[in-house]
């Protein structure tokens, strides 16, 4: 297959490298490669009209809202996203303080400012705190089975339910309070579904759960928007490196492709785009979301991926966590309120209630975070995960607004509560180049599958160049689902190529074959190792 010559690079020394996907993993890889003299021929092919991927800040309601990534999780010295954001001057004083960096949250979501019951009126915050202590102590226990010979249950959800049943035996309150406790626990299960990006904790594997590494630091946000970070990285790249609106159709690898502008030279990889244009290359770094890989697995690679790599892609979990922003003229919450919890009294994590989605999708909503005031606008940000979240994407704005207005009137006990004046939602499952939010280690998979996904092709590496490399949050064994995991993975693959070409430059014997690069540790290029 011949390439279209228009986008061809100028023939010259140095490998041709293509990065597929302009999220933080792809941008991080590109920035690192651009700093090395061996890589003058680099392109980032981005399917959409913007860079940033699942980092997406939008100007709305008179301010900036995060449609995608919301917090820096664990903003401390071992977190490269925090370090980079600090270097670019994108964070507030509190986030940068040493005190903030030392706070240990255990990865748990903080207690709500107020808790509303679906029957109307508030729930005792003491009772909420008691159930949160129980729930998070059990979550901490789930992390202890990493090296166990066998686990008491296959999934995190089943283990939690087993333990809760045992705790219930000691509950002495009247039935109504016991039911309320279970309803609060059900909300906490739904919170954990949002954290893990899954429909149910029954889908999340118990044994590997403890491998996910939580960094110290109280989660912080970007005052000017998370996208300021990816915009700064993109601005540091040489002109013309980014190519937008270039969805890739097929990665042809292990071939011998030629190009008219480079007579006599062959390339092992050819990237074929949806618009028919083709880019020959020596190396391609794939950074597309796992959801996209799952959907296009049978057509995206030619020849097909090795069986065990394809199997890893099928097995690793990838779910949906969406946000619903509601704009109000006046707040109905107290001035110091930060987090509103919604507890559905008729729910329990021990019961498999499966009402029709259209009747009860909003019961999966965990509550709302109060965003900093935008002057004339007061904005709440709700979170919802799983199949209910995906169903929400199919509804109209009017339907969502009506449903949530009814919910808020019901829980506050105020039937005349003014309706929000507008709504804005994320739709990550519908997004064609994303197809969900982020990865988790599903039942039937393990951290080995994430490592397997991260391994470059050809798999044997004998005498073959590193043709196809893989980055993205789903390829980081201990930081999957995070922006810092994604960034580190992009650096890891850039360092893999740099190591390959540096070693080649040191032994320029004629006819020597390019070997595969040494395995690069998860903390590239001078960054402090996050696990020590």
């Amino acid at each position: 297959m011949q390439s279209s010559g228009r986008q061809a690079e100028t023939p010259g020394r140095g490998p041709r490298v293509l990065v597929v996907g302009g999220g933080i993993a792809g941008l991080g890889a590109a920035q690192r490669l651009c700093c090395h003299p061996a890589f003058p021929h680099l392109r980032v092919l981005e399917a959409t009209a913007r860079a940033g991927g699942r980092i997406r800040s939008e100007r709305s309601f008179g301010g900036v809202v995060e449609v995608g990534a919301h917090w820096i999780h664990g903003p401390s010295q071992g977190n490269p996203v925090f370090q980079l954001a600090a270097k670019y001057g994108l964070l507030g004083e509190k986030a940068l303080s040493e005190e903030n960096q030392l706070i240990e949250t255990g990865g748990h979501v903080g207690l709500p400012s107020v808790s509303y019951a679906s029957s109307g009126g508030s729930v005792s915050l003491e009772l909420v705190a008691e159930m949160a202590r129980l729930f998070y102590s059990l979550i901490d226990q789930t992390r202890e089975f990493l090296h166990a010979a066998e686990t008491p249950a296959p999934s995190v959800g089943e283990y939690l339910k087993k333990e809760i049943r045992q705790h219930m035996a000691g509950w002495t309150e009247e039935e109504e309070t016991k039911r309320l406790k279970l309803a609060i626990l059900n909300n906490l299960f739904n919170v954990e579904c949002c954290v893990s990006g899954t429909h149910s904790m029954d889908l999340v594997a118990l044994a590997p759960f403890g491998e996910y590494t939580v960094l110290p630091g109280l989660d912080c946000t970007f005052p000017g928007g998370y996208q300021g970070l990816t915009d700064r990285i993109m601005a540091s790249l040489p002109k013309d490196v980014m190519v937008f609106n270039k969805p890739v159709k097929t990665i042809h690898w292990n071939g011998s492709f030629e190009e008219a502008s480079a007579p006599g030279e062959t390339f092992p990889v050819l990237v074929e785009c949806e618009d028919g244009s083709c880019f020959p290359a020596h190396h391609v770094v794939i950074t597309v979301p796992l959801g996209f890989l799952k959907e296009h697995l049978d057509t995206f690679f030619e020849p097909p991926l090795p069986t065990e790599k394809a199997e890893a892609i099928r097995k690793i979990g990838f779910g949906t966590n969406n946000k619903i922003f509601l704009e109000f003229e006046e707040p109905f919450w107290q001035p110091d309120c930060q987090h509103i919890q919604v507890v559905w009294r008729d729910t329990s994590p021990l019961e498999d209630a499966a009402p029709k989605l259209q009747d009860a999708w909003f019961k999966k909503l965990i509550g709302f975070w109060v965003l900093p005031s935008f002057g004339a606008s007061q904005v709440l940000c709700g979170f919802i995960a799983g199949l209910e979240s995906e169903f929400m994407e199919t509804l109209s704005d009017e339907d969502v607004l009506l449903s949530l207005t009814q919910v808020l009137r019901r829980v506050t006990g105020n039937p005349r509560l003014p309706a929000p004046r507008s709504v804005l939602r994320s739709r990550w499952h519908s997004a064609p180049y994303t197809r969900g939010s982020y990865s988790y280690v599903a039942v039937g998979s393990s951290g080995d599958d994430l490592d397997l996904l991260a391994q470059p092709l050809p798999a044997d590496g004998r005498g073959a160049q590193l043709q196809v490399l893989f980055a993205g949050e789903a390829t980081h064994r201990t930081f999957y689902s995070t922006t810092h995991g994604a960034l580190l993975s992009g650096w890891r693959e850039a360092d893999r190529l740099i190591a390959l070409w540096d070693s080649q430059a040191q032994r320029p014997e004629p006819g020597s074959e390019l070997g595969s690069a040494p395995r690069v540790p998860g903390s590239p290029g001078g960054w402090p190792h996050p696990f020590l």
Side-chain angles (χ1 to χ4, degrees):
M1 186 182 293
Q2 297 295 314
S3 82
S4 67
R6 196 169 64 80
Q7 285 102 353
E9 304 283 2
T10 314
R13 295 186 63 76
R16 304 244 193 117
V17 181
L18 290 172
V19 176
V20 179
I24 196 168
L27 293 172
Q31 186 182 47
R32 208 148 174 115
L33 290 170
C34 284
C35 291
H36 194 282
F39 300 96
H41 308 303
L42 175 75
R43 286 282 182 274
V44 179
L45 305 182
E46 166 54 43
T48 70
R50 54 171 287 278
R54 285 166 275 174
I55 293 174
R56 183 174 170 187
S57 310
E58 282 191 13
R59 292 209 72 80
S60 195
F61 316 121
V64 175
V65 296
E66 304 293 7
V67 177
H70 200 101
W71 289 280
I72 300 179
H73 294 296
S76 50
Q77 295 310 303
N79 186 324
V81 167
F82 173 71
Q83 296 275 47
L84 213 47
K87 175 183 152 188
Y88 287 140
L90 301 173
L91 299 177
E93 201 175 313
K94 185 178 176 231
L96 293 168
S97 70
E98 191 173 344
E99 180 189 7
N100 206 77
Q101 295 177 48
L102 296 174
I103 294 173
E104 294 281 357
T105 66
H108 305 321
V109 175
L111 292 172
S113 312
V114 62
S115 179
Y116 287 119
S118 54
S119 54
S122 57
V123 178
S124 153
L125 288 181
E126 286 76 20
L127 198 61
V128 172
E130 182 192 335
M131 289 302 95
R133 279 194 299 274
L134 168 61
F135 184 79
Y136 289 125
S137 71
L138 295 178
I139 285 283
D140 290 341
Q141 283 177 33
T142 63
R143 301 187 182 282
E144 294 167 11
F145 297 107
L146 183 56
H147 302 296
E150 55 183 274
T151 58
S155 73
V156 172
E158 287 162 280
Y159 174 78
L160 293 173
K161 287 185 276 190
K162 182 166 161 282
E163 292 293 310
I164 286 166
R165 284 192 183 95
Q166 290 180 1
H167 279 270
M168 279 178 67
W171 290 356
T172 55
E173 304 89 348
E174 69 277 9
E175 282 305 307
E176 190 180 345
T177 304
K178 288 180 183 177
R179 284 201 300 272
L180 183 56
K181 281 182 162 186
L182 287 171
I184 295 167
L185 285 168
N186 196 70
N187 173 278
L188 293 167
F189 268 77
N190 290 341
V191 168
E192 207 59 31
C193 286
C194 289
V195 171
S196 288
T198 184
H199 171 62
S200 164
M201 295 309 291
D202 291 355
L203 302 174
V204 181
L206 178 58
F209 194 60
E211 203 157 19
Y212 176 85
T213 302
V214 176
L215 295 173
L218 185 64
D219 292 357
C220 68
T221 57
F222 288 77
Y226 220 129
Q227 205 175 305
L229 179 64
T230 47
D231 286 348
R232 289 295 288 269
I233 298 174
M234 187 172 67
S236 74
L237 301 176
K239 193 173 177 294
D240 299 331
V241 164
M242 295 294 302
V243 184
F244 292 104
N245 299 306
K246 255 319 173 198
V248 169
K249 182 181 178 186
T250 309
I251 309 288
H252 302 269
W253 61 287
N254 235 6
S256 183
F257 303 99
E258 296 177 359
E259 186 182 55
S261 66
E265 189 171 5
T266 59
F267 301 89
V269 189
L270 187 78
V271 174
E272 180 188 359
C273 297
E274 292 281 1
D275 65 5
S277 61
C278 295
F279 296 78
H282 297 101
H283 312 288
V284 176
V285 184
I286 308 289
T287 73
V288 300
L290 178 64
F292 178 87
L293 282 182
K294 283 177 176 286
E295 186 173 47
H296 298 277
L297 189 55
D298 296 335
T299 57
F300 200 62
F301 297 95
E302 182 54 48
L305 292 178
T307 308
E308 35 171 38
K309 190 185 269 283
E311 207 42 46
I313 289 171
R314 288 190 189 98
K315 287 195 294 189
I316 302 167
F318 194 81
T320 303
N321 180 19
N322 274 314
K323 299 178 189 179
I324 307 172
F325 299 93
L326 300 176
E327 180 196 19
F328 295 83
E329 282 186 50
E330 298 290 336
F332 62 82
W333 53 91
Q334 295 299 313
D336 58 348
C337 181
Q338 294 181 312
H339 169 196
I340 299 167
Q341 182 185 50
V342 177
V343 173
W344 290 90
R345 273 186 172 274
D346 56 344
T347 59
S348 162
L350 306 180
E351 293 167 16
D352 291 326
K356 290 181 178 173
L357 282 174
Q358 60 262 40
D359 299 331
W361 65 267
F362 42 81
K363 291 188 180 182
K364 194 71 167 281
L365 190 84
I366 62 172
F368 300 89
W369 271 255
V370 180
L371 298 191
S373 175
F374 295 151
S377 295
Q378 310 294 326
V379 181
L380 295 181
C381 174
F383 287 79
I384 182 169
L387 297 177
E388 293 85 351
S389 184
E390 293 170 12
F391 175 76
M392 179 276 297
E393 296 186 27
T394 68
L395 301 173
S396 68
D397 279 355
E398 291 73 25
D399 285 340
V400 172
L401 202 57
L402 181 63
S403 289
L404 295 191
T405 299
Q406 289 171 346
V407 166
L408 288 171
R409 286 173 177 170
R410 178 175 171 178
V411 302
T412 59
N414 179 3
R416 285 183 287 281
L417 186 81
R421 62 183 178 191
S422 68
V423 62
L424 174 71
R425 298 175 280 161
S426 62
R427 293 183 179 86
W428 288 109
H429 180 69
S430 309
Y433 304 111
T434 317
R435 306 299 280 144
S437 297
Y438 36 80
S439 62
Y440 61 94
V441 183
V443 172
S445 69
S446 73
D448 290 345
D449 290 308
L450 281 78
D451 279 348
L452 192 53
L453 178 55
Q455 287 304 302
L457 297 173
D460 60 11
R462 285 179 306 206
Q465 285 186 23
L466 293 164
Q467 295 176 23
V468 186
L469 302 91
F470 294 82
E473 52 85 13
T475 70
H476 199 292
R477 185 166 184 146
T478 57
F479 289 153
Y480 55 86
S481 82
T482 65
T483 53
H484 52 276
L487 180 59
L488 282 170
S489 74
W491 286 351
R492 177 192 68 215
E493 297 313 306
D495 285 353
R496 205 190 288 270
L497 285 178
I498 288 166
L500 172 72
W501 286 88
D502 281 353
S503 66
Q504 189 61 14
Q506 287 161 15
R507 42 184 183 80
E509 301 87 7
S512 68
E513 289 181 305
L514 288 172
S516 66
R519 185 175 172 79
V520 180
S523 177
W527 285 95
H529 199 289
F531 316 128
L532 297 180

